[in-house]
C-alpha cells in the first residue's frame, strides 16, 4: 500500500464520483477546487444520474463513491460517510391560488399542474404513495431529472407545483417567488448521503474527495436549511 505513505500532491489516478443532479450545482464546484489543490495529479470523473442508476453503478464497481439523496441505506451493503437530513416540500409560485391557503388538503392537488422528478426518484415515489393513501390520482404533466429546471419552471408559471428538496428552493423562497405549501399530513424528509459500496476499497484519493464534499455540504446545507416547514 505504497500510495498511503505518499504526500497528497504526489498521488495519481482517477476518482469516479456519482452525484444526484440536485446536489451538483450546490456542492461540486467548491469541493472540486479544494480537492484539486490537495490532489493536483488525480483526475476526477463525474456522473450525474438518477439515484437508482448511481446505486447500480456503485454495486458494479463503476463508481468509487456517490453523493445521493434518498432514504437511509442499510449498513450491511453501504458505507455511509456522512448524512444530512433534509425536508422534502411541495412548492408553488407565490401567485398560485393555493399559496394563499393556510392549510392545503391533499384532494386540492387533483388536476393541478404538477412537476415531479423521474419516476424512480425516492421522494417522487414517496409523494405518490402519500397521495395513494388518500385514494387520489394526481399524475404529473412533466417528469424531469433536474430539480433546478423544475424550480425555474415553477418560478415562471403561476399554475405549476412541484415536490423538491427544500435546499433546492430555499433561495427562491427568500426572493419571494416560491412558497412552501402546508400540505395536510405531509411531513417527509430524506438524507443527503456520501456513500461507498462495502466492496469498494478506500484509497487516499477517494477519502480526500469525500472529505471535501462533506465539508462543503455541511456548510451549504446548514446555511440553506435554517428551519423546516411549519408544524401543525
Amino acid at each position: 500500500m505504497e500510495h498511503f505513505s505518499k504526500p497528497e500532491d504526489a498521488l495519481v489516478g482517477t476518482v469516479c464520483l456519482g452525484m444526484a443532479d440536485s446536489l451538483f450545482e450546490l456542492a461540486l464546484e467548491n469541493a472540486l477546487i479544494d480537492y484539486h489543490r490537495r490532489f493536483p495529479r488525480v483526475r476526477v470523473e463525474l456522473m450525474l444520474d438518477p439515484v437508482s442508476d448511481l446505486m447500480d453503478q456503485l454495486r458494479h464497481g463503476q463508481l468509487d463513491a456517490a453523493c445521493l439523496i434518498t432514504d437511509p441505506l442499510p449498513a450491511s451493503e453501504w458505507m455511509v460517510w456522512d448524512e444530512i437530513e433534509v425536508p422534502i416540500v411541495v412548492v408553488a409560485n407565490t401567485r398560485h391560488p393555493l399559496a394563499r391557503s393556510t392549510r392545503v388538503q391533499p384532494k386540492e392537488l387533483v388536476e393541478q399542474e404538477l412537476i415531479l422528478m423521474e419516476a424512480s426518484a425516492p421522494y417522487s415515489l414517496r409523494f405518490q404513495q402519500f397521495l395513494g393513501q388518500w385514494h387520489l390520482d394526481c399524475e404529473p404533466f412533466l417528469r424531469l431529472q433536474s430539480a433546478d429546471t423544475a424550480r425555474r419552471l415553477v418560478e415562471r408559471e403561476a399554475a405549476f407545483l412541484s415536490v423538491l428538496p427544500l435546499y433546492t428552493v430555499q433561495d427562491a423562497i427568500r426572493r419571494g417567488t416560491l412558497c412552501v405549501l402546508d400540505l395536510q399530513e405531509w411531513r417527509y424528509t430524506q438524507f443527503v448521503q456520501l456513500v461507498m459500496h462495502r466492496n469498494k476499497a478506500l484509497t487516499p484519493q477517494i477519502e480526500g474527495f469525500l472529505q471535501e464534499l462533506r465539508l462543503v455540504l455541511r456548510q451549504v446545507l446548514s446555511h440553506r436549511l435554517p428551519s423546516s416547514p411549519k408544524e401543525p
Side-chain angles (χ1 to χ4, degrees):
M1 305 297 289
E2 179 185 350
H3 58 283
F4 276 90
S5 62
K6 288 184 177 181
E8 292 177 344
D9 59 4
L11 292 173
V12 297
T14 301
V15 171
C16 298
L17 179 75
M19 184 170 283
D21 176 85
S22 66
L23 296 161
F24 172 67
E25 292 188 11
L26 185 69
L28 184 72
E29 186 174 318
N30 288 339
L32 183 59
I33 290 171
D34 293 339
Y35 180 78
H36 187 63
R37 288 172 179 156
R38 289 177 57 186
F39 298 86
R41 302 178 65 189
V42 176
R43 298 186 304 275
V44 177
E45 294 183 1
L46 179 69
M47 295 295 296
L48 296 180
D49 275 320
V51 169
S52 58
D53 291 352
L54 294 174
M55 292 179 67
D56 192 55
Q57 292 171 56
L58 287 166
R59 290 186 177 100
H60 289 87
Q62 297 166 315
L63 293 175
D64 297 315
C67 184
L68 312 174
I69 176 168
T70 187
D71 295 317
L73 296 172
S76 58
E77 185 177 7
W78 304 99
M79 291 188 293
V80 179
W81 255 73
D82 197 20
E83 60 180 22
I84 305 170
E85 190 173 14
V86 296
I88 307 298
V89 295
V90 182
V91 293
N93 189 294
T94 50
R95 294 174 289 139
H96 194 287
L98 292 179
R100 297 189 291 269
S101 301
T102 56
R103 172 65 59 88
V104 175
Q105 303 296 320
K107 65 183 180 180
E108 294 181 81
L109 299 182
V110 176
E111 297 185 0
Q112 295 289 342
E113 301 288 341
L114 183 64
I115 300 172
L116 292 180
M117 296 301 97
E118 68 274 5
S120 62
Y123 54 86
S124 292
L125 286 169
R126 180 65 187 90
F127 181 71
Q128 296 207 282
Q129 290 168 358
F130 167 80
L131 294 176
Q133 293 169 5
W134 292 82
H135 307 290
L136 298 174
D137 185 12
C138 188
E139 284 297 318
F141 82 93
L142 176 64
R143 287 191 181 273
L144 296 169
Q145 288 190 13
S146 171
D148 190 57
T149 300
R151 189 258 314 156
R152 291 198 307 269
L153 287 169
V154 178
E155 282 191 280
R156 289 186 58 181
E157 177 52 57
F160 294 169
L161 304 175
S162 192
V163 180
L164 296 166
L166 181 58
Y167 62 80
T168 66
V169 296
Q170 196 88 63
D171 290 343
I173 292 169
R174 292 192 182 104
R175 290 193 298 269
T177 56
L178 295 183
C179 64
V180 174
L181 298 183
D182 188 5
L183 180 61
Q184 181 182 356
E185 295 189 21
W186 174 256
R187 297 292 181 270
Y188 180 54
T189 61
Q190 287 199 320
F191 291 84
V192 173
Q193 299 173 78
L194 296 177
V195 302
M196 291 177 58
H197 195 271
R198 287 204 170 274
N199 291 337
K200 174 64 66 173
L202 180 66
T203 66
Q205 294 94 321
I206 299 171
E207 183 176 26
F209 212 114
L210 290 171
Q211 290 169 346
E212 296 300 335
L213 266 179
R214 176 169 56 188
L215 179 62
V216 170
L217 284 169
R218 285 282 168 183
Q219 290 172 342
V220 297
L221 288 179
S222 63
H223 169 68
R224 286 178 178 243
L225 303 175
S227 61
S228 298
K230 60 188 177 183
E231 293 293 331

